[in-house]
mmCIF file of all heavy atoms in Angstrom:
data_model
loop_
_atom_site.group_PDB
_atom_site.id
_atom_site.type_symbol
_atom_site.label_atom_id
_atom_site.label_comp_id
_atom_site.label_asym_id
_atom_site.label_seq_id
_atom_site.Cartn_x
_atom_site.Cartn_y
_atom_site.Cartn_z
ATOM 1 N N THR A 528 68.026 -29.635 -27.593
ATOM 2 C CA THR A 528 68.832 -29.761 -28.811
ATOM 3 C C THR A 528 68.212 -28.968 -29.931
ATOM 4 O O THR A 528 66.991 -28.990 -30.129
ATOM 5 C CB THR A 528 68.932 -31.235 -29.218
ATOM 6 O OG1 THR A 528 67.619 -31.731 -29.453
ATOM 7 C CG2 THR A 528 69.610 -32.053 -28.146
ATOM 8 N N GLY A 529 69.045 -28.293 -30.638
ATOM 9 C CA GLY A 529 68.559 -27.511 -31.772
ATOM 10 C C GLY A 529 67.829 -26.267 -31.303
ATOM 11 O O GLY A 529 67.861 -25.883 -30.138
ATOM 12 N N THR A 530 67.250 -25.631 -32.250
ATOM 13 C CA THR A 530 66.489 -24.420 -31.930
ATOM 14 C C THR A 530 65.163 -24.793 -31.290
ATOM 15 O O THR A 530 64.542 -25.795 -31.673
ATOM 16 C CB THR A 530 66.248 -23.612 -33.199
ATOM 17 O OG1 THR A 530 65.509 -24.407 -34.126
ATOM 18 C CG2 THR A 530 67.576 -23.186 -33.857
ATOM 19 N N ARG A 531 64.722 -23.952 -30.359
ATOM 20 C CA ARG A 531 63.460 -24.207 -29.662
ATOM 21 C C ARG A 531 62.295 -23.862 -30.577
ATOM 22 O O ARG A 531 62.194 -22.774 -31.096
ATOM 23 C CB ARG A 531 63.383 -23.362 -28.394
ATOM 24 C CG ARG A 531 62.140 -23.635 -27.584
ATOM 25 C CD ARG A 531 62.194 -22.866 -26.290
ATOM 26 N NE ARG A 531 60.997 -23.105 -25.499
ATOM 27 C CZ ARG A 531 60.774 -22.571 -24.300
ATOM 28 N NH1 ARG A 531 61.698 -21.748 -23.769
ATOM 29 N NH2 ARG A 531 59.678 -22.853 -23.648
ATOM 30 N N GLN A 532 61.441 -24.824 -30.755
ATOM 31 C CA GLN A 532 60.311 -24.629 -31.655
ATOM 32 C C GLN A 532 59.202 -23.841 -30.956
ATOM 33 O O GLN A 532 59.079 -23.851 -29.743
ATOM 34 C CB GLN A 532 59.765 -25.977 -32.145
ATOM 35 C CG GLN A 532 60.766 -26.785 -32.947
ATOM 36 C CD GLN A 532 60.157 -28.079 -33.434
ATOM 37 O OE1 GLN A 532 58.975 -28.338 -33.225
ATOM 38 N NE2 GLN A 532 60.975 -28.906 -34.081
ATOM 39 N N LYS A 533 58.424 -23.170 -31.778
ATOM 40 C CA LYS A 533 57.286 -22.411 -31.296
ATOM 41 C C LYS A 533 55.970 -23.067 -31.667
ATOM 42 O O LYS A 533 54.918 -22.462 -31.543
ATOM 43 C CB LYS A 533 57.320 -20.988 -31.846
ATOM 44 C CG LYS A 533 58.528 -20.188 -31.371
ATOM 45 C CD LYS A 533 58.485 -18.775 -31.914
ATOM 46 C CE LYS A 533 59.692 -17.978 -31.438
ATOM 47 N NZ LYS A 533 59.660 -16.583 -31.940
ATOM 48 N N VAL A 534 56.045 -24.292 -32.089
ATOM 49 C CA VAL A 534 54.857 -25.053 -32.466
ATOM 50 C C VAL A 534 54.695 -26.179 -31.470
ATOM 51 O O VAL A 534 55.659 -26.925 -31.188
ATOM 52 C CB VAL A 534 54.965 -25.596 -33.904
ATOM 53 C CG1 VAL A 534 53.705 -26.388 -34.262
ATOM 54 C CG2 VAL A 534 55.175 -24.468 -34.888
ATOM 55 N N PHE A 535 53.487 -26.293 -30.919
ATOM 56 C CA PHE A 535 53.203 -27.320 -29.924
ATOM 57 C C PHE A 535 51.968 -28.101 -30.365
ATOM 58 O O PHE A 535 51.187 -27.647 -31.203
ATOM 59 C CB PHE A 535 52.960 -26.698 -28.549
ATOM 60 C CG PHE A 535 54.159 -25.962 -27.998
ATOM 61 C CD1 PHE A 535 54.385 -24.625 -28.318
ATOM 62 C CD2 PHE A 535 55.044 -26.611 -27.158
ATOM 63 C CE1 PHE A 535 55.465 -23.954 -27.813
ATOM 64 C CE2 PHE A 535 56.138 -25.933 -26.644
ATOM 65 C CZ PHE A 535 56.348 -24.600 -26.977
ATOM 66 N N GLU A 536 51.832 -29.232 -29.777
ATOM 67 C CA GLU A 536 50.620 -30.018 -29.968
ATOM 68 C C GLU A 536 49.909 -30.172 -28.618
ATOM 69 O O GLU A 536 50.549 -30.177 -27.567
ATOM 70 C CB GLU A 536 50.935 -31.383 -30.567
ATOM 71 C CG GLU A 536 51.873 -32.235 -29.715
ATOM 72 C CD GLU A 536 52.109 -33.601 -30.318
ATOM 73 O OE1 GLU A 536 51.164 -34.096 -30.972
ATOM 74 O OE2 GLU A 536 53.201 -34.142 -30.132
ATOM 75 N N ILE A 537 48.609 -30.280 -28.674
ATOM 76 C CA ILE A 537 47.802 -30.404 -27.461
ATOM 77 C C ILE A 537 47.630 -31.870 -27.166
ATOM 78 O O ILE A 537 47.189 -32.658 -28.020
ATOM 79 C CB ILE A 537 46.440 -29.721 -27.639
ATOM 80 C CG1 ILE A 537 46.630 -28.224 -27.884
ATOM 81 C CG2 ILE A 537 45.567 -29.931 -26.404
ATOM 82 C CD1 ILE A 537 45.338 -27.488 -28.120
ATOM 83 N N CYS A 538 47.926 -32.217 -25.949
ATOM 84 C CA CYS A 538 47.821 -33.600 -25.512
ATOM 85 C C CYS A 538 46.767 -33.701 -24.411
ATOM 86 O O CYS A 538 46.560 -32.746 -23.633
ATOM 87 C CB CYS A 538 49.160 -34.111 -24.995
ATOM 88 S SG CYS A 538 50.506 -33.970 -26.199
ATOM 89 N N VAL A 539 46.160 -34.865 -24.319
ATOM 90 C CA VAL A 539 45.111 -35.108 -23.335
ATOM 91 C C VAL A 539 45.519 -36.305 -22.503
ATOM 92 O O VAL A 539 45.833 -37.380 -23.044
ATOM 93 C CB VAL A 539 43.758 -35.372 -24.009
ATOM 94 C CG1 VAL A 539 42.674 -35.564 -22.950
ATOM 95 C CG2 VAL A 539 43.391 -34.224 -24.938
ATOM 96 N N CYS A 540 45.518 -36.106 -21.173
ATOM 97 C CA CYS A 540 45.816 -37.210 -20.278
ATOM 98 C C CYS A 540 44.606 -38.115 -20.104
ATOM 99 O O CYS A 540 43.493 -37.794 -20.548
ATOM 100 C CB CYS A 540 46.260 -36.664 -18.917
ATOM 101 S SG CYS A 540 47.723 -35.615 -18.983
ATOM 102 N N ALA A 541 44.817 -39.230 -19.456
ATOM 103 C CA ALA A 541 43.703 -40.149 -19.213
ATOM 104 C C ALA A 541 42.662 -39.554 -18.275
ATOM 105 O O ALA A 541 41.472 -39.890 -18.360
ATOM 106 C CB ALA A 541 44.238 -41.470 -18.648
#
Side-chain angles (χ1 to χ4, degrees):
T528 60
T530 60
R531 183 175 179 179
Q532 298 182 3
K533 296 182 180 181
V534 180
F535 297 87
E536 60 177 328
I537 298 178
C538 303
V539 182
C540 301

